[in-house]
Amino acid sequence: MGISILVAMPPKVRLVGRRLLQAVPALAGIVIVTFLLTRALPGDPAVYFAGPAADAASIAEIRKSLGLDQPLPIQFLAYLGDLVTGNLGMSISTGQPVLHEILTRLPASVELTLIALMMSIAIAVPLGVLAATRPDSWIDHLCRFVVTAGVSLPTFFTGLALVYLFYYLLGWAPPPMGRLDILYLPPAHVTGFYTIDSLLAGDIGAFGSALAHIALPALTLALFTLAPIARMTRASMLQVLGSDFIRTARAAGLSKRKVLFAYGFRNALLPVITTLGMVFSFALGANVLVEKVFAWPGIGSYAIEALVVSDYAAVQGFVLAMALLFVALNLTIDIVYTLVDPRLRLED
Amino acid sequence: MNRRDFLKAGTSVALGAGMLPFLKVLPASAAAADTLVVVIGSTINSLDLHRTGTNRPSYQVSVNCYDRLLTFGTKTMPDGSLSYDYSKLEGELAESWEIAPDGNSVTFKLKDATFWDGSPVTAEDVKWSLDRAVSVGGFPTVQMKAGSLEKPEQFEVVDAKTFKINFLRQSKLTLPDLAVPVPFIINSKVAKANATEKDPWAMEYLHRNPAGSGAYKVERWDPGQQLVYSRNDAWKGGPLPAAKRIIVREIPSQATRRALIERGDVHLSHDIPAKDAKELAALKSVKVVGTPIENCLHVLCPNLIFEPFKNKLVRQAIAYAVPYEEIHKNAAYERGAKMWGGASMEPTDIAWPQPFPYTTDYDKAKELLAQTPYKDGFEVPLSFDLGTASWGEPTALLIQEGLAKIGIKATIDKIPGANWRTVALVEKKLPLLLDNFGGWLNTPDYYFFWAYVKGNLFNASNYDDAEMMQLINETLHMPMDNPDYAPKIKRMIAKAFDDVPRIPLYQPYLDTAMRPGVEGYEFWFHRMPDVRTLTFKTA
């Protein structure tokens, strides 16, 4: 989709190009800061990975094999050299190449986050719109209640509560043991999203299992992300509905539906989209605890584990991947913006 | 209807094409009966124990997929549960073994065993594997050294089925050290075919592709998710295991692990927290087996390079100010053997660990402290490893309370895992800390070697005593039936009582929860699930 937009609208290509260029210094900064930050972490990875009963000689040996005996600038150059060749290094805590770990784990997190966001949008946007059109009605109170509950319940609590109710007590949900039932093998890797890959493979059973397994973690995350979306929809809808052009539209005798959706909602959508971008990024962060509760093999739990044991390569790779993801996300949001916002039809 | 009922009831109707991947190997009707599901809390990061950075959960691959020359026997504990038996060595790959009359070497006759690829296990393979263990450096090499197995020249191929180890010194630790997870026997033909000039020991290859002769092969490994074992029907190392396939799933959240075992979706949950163990043990639907971990203690270490703790009376005062009973109740949930309240300052036997002659007695503690320059107390940070917070946190709080009663103000300092090893064990610069150490080789002198010798890793107290050092040096390799052994060990323990550089709190349990139909669970010193002996019926 992104490509066709770029081709069809040359001025927007320039807009996008400029945005891309703006991202370059940010990325360079991230590379440097991550490198320095990981070195500033407390703890000596060589000592940790030398394992139980290691003596000074074996610790020194490991320090050498990790390249940690070199001065910082040399380590940094080596790191840059590796980056250029697409080598993110070897994660010593999981024993796998970092790039491979990220490529297998990122889709799990993104799939979870996207499904959660879809659920959350499906509930929050109508809720916000209804609350805005009927201020102080029961639905407005409901919206306020949901928003308060959503922000005040920590995700691991919601997750555990849902597991307790739907798995432990009722037995409706499958065991919270990851992305698929024990009996299924993961479908062939195409997108990395099990729900899509299993369909592509024509494996209905695995699709059902993947869907069943993602339901509770996605719901947990959706409950968490509901609040800002609902609140923003409500606020922005209230503001738009109170503005002059709505009054004019109403005075012109347009139907209530037309006023609400064609004029009101479309204009109110802009801040909601911005909020979505932010929500997506902090949902990826909130994933960590949800992933732990549901044994979800995603990127969040991986990063935390790596951080705890000072696994430099893994932490650097994770931060870099996230930075790229956010740059891409912001770009996408800018593009969506230009499509939705009539005022942004720049001819440059 | 739970998953297993579903499987039994619905094999013909409900199983669509989705089941196919597994059905190819095994009919689904048999899956429930043949497959055992185990859950663990942490990740398996390598299939090769010798690799740098391989973590403890990965040691189970060495146990379940590889054979060693020797293994330990099995004994029944007083409560009817099973444990490995340190006193009984048995052959795993070795048909028999014989110590030379001069006591300077041992010769093994190998069984007619084969590797998974069908090739015979030869003395060449044994030599290559032991050479690897003593050469790769790091933990495997250090562990081999504990058994005086230090250089490749010690290992000799006599003929295809005969293998000889020449001793550097006669030591009672050598043969038991051959039965720990480290000296596992690798298919050297496969390994060499995948070795490179830069990687002569095939570390890259064996990290992902085990090549052994053990009871189970690795069917698949999804790092961070699961390890699937499938049975090697031609195993010669011991009786054929009951389960054809064993799925080991990693479930990081312990609340989730508990829900899974309670609901009956998994057969066994390995190494559960003490609190869960206490509560689950009260249920009928779950069986909990807790075994005191041999040669392992949770201890409070005053660091002797800090001024107050140089004074023996201060250390003894602290030992009298620890609320042992409360710690046992509220931090260990009574899942631990008591290590306080011993009868006398002189040990009557050489059992280790055994209760220290201290109890909670604040008056006595104050009295002792009054004889030192610190009668008005002092301030000290009390540190623990965040990775062991489940017992460390309540224990630290209770000790803080106890010390406050004799005027010592302890501030609690939580240190994250990666940093812990560096500051606590390598630099040894924490003044007062909670520590846990358990030795793999179950003799008192081995524990004392690691924890009471200056400079050794687990001596976080910086304890340095000439007599103790001499006693340890004399007993470490001495046979236990030597008439000098028992008196020397008693003297060692008496010194540990009196000098208290380490104050034992309790001996922890390894707790494991399983479905009532699961039998044959056996405790091992390496604290990893040995799945080879498990039998089960689907209830």
Side-chain angles (χ1 to χ4, degrees), chain B residues 265-283:
Chain B
D265 277 313
V266 300
H267 294 99
L268 188 139
S269 176
H270 187 75
D271 198 359
I272 60 173
K275 181 169 187 286
D276 281 359
K278 188 179 178 184
E279 288 166 12
L280 287 176
L283 299 177

Side-chain angles (χ1 to χ4, degrees), chain A residues 162-175:
Chain A
L162 290 178
V163 166
Y164 182 67
L165 181 66
F166 290 108
Y167 166 66
Y168 186 81
L169 289 182
L170 298 172
W172 293 353

Side-chain angles (χ1 to χ4, degrees), chain B residues 238-276:
Chain B
L240 195 66
K244 277 201 175 150
R245 170 183 284 122
I246 291 179
I247 299 173
V248 179
R249 273 276 175 127
E250 295 168 12
I251 309 287
S253 149
Q254 55 102 346
T256 308
R257 285 205 300 284
R258 177 165 167 177
L260 288 168
I261 190 81
E262 271 192 64
R263 285 275 304 173
D265 277 313
V266 300
H267 294 99
L268 188 139
S269 176
H270 187 75
D271 198 359
I272 60 173
K275 181 169 187 286
D276 281 359

Side-chain angles (χ1 to χ4, degrees), chain A:
Chain A
M1 184 187 104
I3 303 293
S4 65
I5 293 168
L6 297 185
V7 176
M9 290 180 256
K12 298 235 160 100
V13 175
R14 240 169 296 155
L15 197 73
V16 170
R18 214 179 305 145
R19 297 285 308 158
L20 268 177
L21 276 182
Q22 283 167 3
V24 171
L27 282 179
I30 285 161
V31 169
I32 297 170
V33 169
T34 338
F35 176 82
L36 292 177
L37 269 186
T38 46
R39 263 61 183 181
L41 284 178
D44 183 344
V47 172
Y48 190 86
F49 293 116
D55 52 11
S58 56
I59 292 172
E61 218 167 89
I62 281 155
R63 183 164 292 122
K64 192 157 172 247
S65 74
L66 293 175
L68 297 174
D69 56 337
Q70 304 285 336
L72 271 193
I74 305 266
Q75 287 187 40
F76 185 62
L77 283 181
Y79 174 50
L80 283 187
D82 283 347
L83 271 189
V84 171
T85 55
N87 177 6
L88 290 183
M90 192 81 172
S91 159
I92 194 157
S93 61
T94 62
Q96 307 297 315
V98 172
L99 188 65
H100 176 260
E101 287 275 7
I102 289 174
L103 288 181
T104 48
R105 284 163 173 270
L106 193 58
S109 292
V110 173
E111 183 183 31
L112 176 61
T113 312
L114 283 180
I115 292 192
L117 272 190
M118 285 194 283
M119 284 165 87
S120 150
I121 291 169
I123 303 169
V125 171
L127 194 65
V129 170
L130 284 173
T133 50
R134 295 170 182 75
D136 285 325
S137 66
W138 67 268
I139 195 126
D140 195 14
H141 290 306
L142 176 72
C143 180
R144 212 164 287 145
F145 173 77
V146 168
V147 165
T148 317
V151 286
S152 50
L153 290 175
T155 46
F156 70 89
F157 175 80
T158 324
L160 285 177
L162 290 178
V163 166
Y164 182 67
L165 181 66
F166 290 108
Y167 166 66
Y168 186 81
L169 289 182
L170 298 172
W172 293 353
M177 294 175 76
R179 300 175 79 183
L180 275 182
D181 198 83
I182 276 178
L183 285 172
Y184 294 99
L185 290 184
H189 185 99
V190 184
T191 58
F193 292 4
Y194 281 9
T195 46
I196 296 178
D197 286 356
S198 58
L199 282 182
L200 289 178
D203 190 342
I204 300 299
F207 173 73
S209 177
L211 217 53
H213 277 78
I214 207 167
L216 281 194
L219 184 61
T220 311
L221 211 51
L223 287 175
F224 177 70
T225 51
L226 263 183
I229 302 174
R231 205 173 48 205
M232 192 45 85
T233 314
R234 180 178 175 277
S236 122
M237 208 54 193
L238 272 178
Q239 199 203 354
V240 169
L241 289 180
S243 57
D244 291 347
F245 68 92
I246 294 288
R247 209 178 48 208
T248 312
R250 282 202 181 117
L254 291 178
S255 74
K256 215 172 168 187
R257 176 177 292 264
K258 178 113 184 160
V259 170
L260 197 59
F261 289 102
Y263 293 91
F265 185 61
R266 190 151 175 218
N267 277 290
L269 214 51
L270 292 172
V272 176
I273 291 173
T274 319
T275 315
L276 272 182
M278 272 153 49
V279 167
F280 184 81
S281 36
F282 73 63
L284 272 176
N287 257 347
V288 176
L289 294 169
V290 180
E291 283 174 7
K292 269 219 166 342
V293 171
F294 293 93
W296 200 260
I299 192 97
S301 46
Y302 172 66
I304 288 295
E305 198 58 38
L307 205 57
V308 168
V309 301
S310 297
D311 189 349
Y312 292 168
V315 174
Q316 282 164 179
F318 168 76
V319 177
L320 212 61
M322 282 305 179
L324 284 173
L325 194 69
F326 288 148
V327 168
L329 186 73
N330 280 323
L331 212 60
T332 317
I333 286 178
D334 280 354
I335 293 166
V336 174
Y337 236 94
T338 59
L339 289 179
V340 177
D341 189 349
R343 290 164 302 180
L344 260 178
R345 295 231 166 89
L346 304 170
E347 288 307 318
D348 222 319

Side-chain angles (χ1 to χ4, degrees), chain B residues 257-484:
Chain B
R257 285 205 300 284
R258 177 165 167 177
L260 288 168
I261 190 81
E262 271 192 64
R263 285 275 304 173
D265 277 313
V266 300
H267 294 99
L268 188 139
S269 176
H270 187 75
D271 198 359
I272 60 173
K275 181 169 187 286
D276 281 359
K278 188 179 178 184
E279 288 166 12
L280 287 176
L283 299 177
K284 272 210 180 65
S285 55
V286 180
K287 185 163 79 178
V288 176
V289 176
T291 321
I293 301 171
E294 274 185 351
N295 220 353
C296 181
L297 286 172
H298 283 345
V299 293
L300 173 67
C301 300
N303 192 335
L304 273 67
I305 57 171
F306 288 83
E307 194 45 59
F309 303 127
K310 277 190 181 148
N311 193 320
K312 182 167 91 180
L313 297 178
V314 174
R315 302 198 296 270
Q316 290 182 341
I318 290 181
Y320 280 114
V322 172
Y324 299 101
E325 203 72 56
E326 276 89 0
I327 291 173
H328 190 249
K329 213 174 270 160
N330 299 315
Y333 294 92
E334 290 165 332
R335 311 291 299 176
K338 302 183 178 189
M339 283 297 139
W340 68 94
S344 136
M345 289 299 272
E346 288 300 321
T348 50
D349 59 23
I350 62 164
W352 183 260
Q354 61 171 294
F356 272 39
Y358 298 90
T359 47
T360 316
D361 185 340
Y362 297 114
D363 294 332
K364 193 144 189 194
K366 269 187 228 158
E367 203 184 297
L368 284 165
L369 205 58
Q371 299 169 33
T372 72
Y374 304 97
K375 54 182 178 300
D376 300 324
F378 53 91
E379 244 191 88
V380 62
L382 166 58
S383 319
F384 68 89
D385 177 2
L386 258 185
T388 59
S390 63
W391 68 272
E393 185 133 37
T395 303
L397 287 169
L398 289 165
I399 292 176
Q400 183 186 41
E401 238 171 71
L403 292 182
K405 292 197 176 133
I406 60 166
I408 300 174
K409 190 166 176 267
T411 47
I412 290 181
D413 191 8
K414 310 173 190 182
I415 299 179
N419 203 7
W420 177 259
R421 253 194 127 66
T422 316
V423 293
L425 301 180
V426 176
E427 293 170 357
K428 305 186 199 298
K429 62 177 190 191
L430 299 175
L432 186 64
L433 66 151
L434 293 177
D435 193 19
N436 155 278
F437 165 65
W440 271 7
L441 302 176
N442 188 23
T443 65
D445 39 288
Y446 188 70
Y447 186 96
F448 276 75
F449 172 74
W450 283 109
Y452 288 85
V453 171
K454 185 177 164 58
N456 279 1
L457 190 70
F458 294 98
N459 181 5
S461 308
N462 284 303
Y463 179 65
D464 184 15
D465 182 273
E467 190 194 351
M468 183 68 108
M469 186 97 106
Q470 195 192 347
L471 286 165
I472 293 169
N473 283 337
E474 286 168 357
T475 50
L476 189 60
H477 302 293
M478 185 187 276
M480 288 162 97
D481 52 14
N482 186 311
D484 282 347

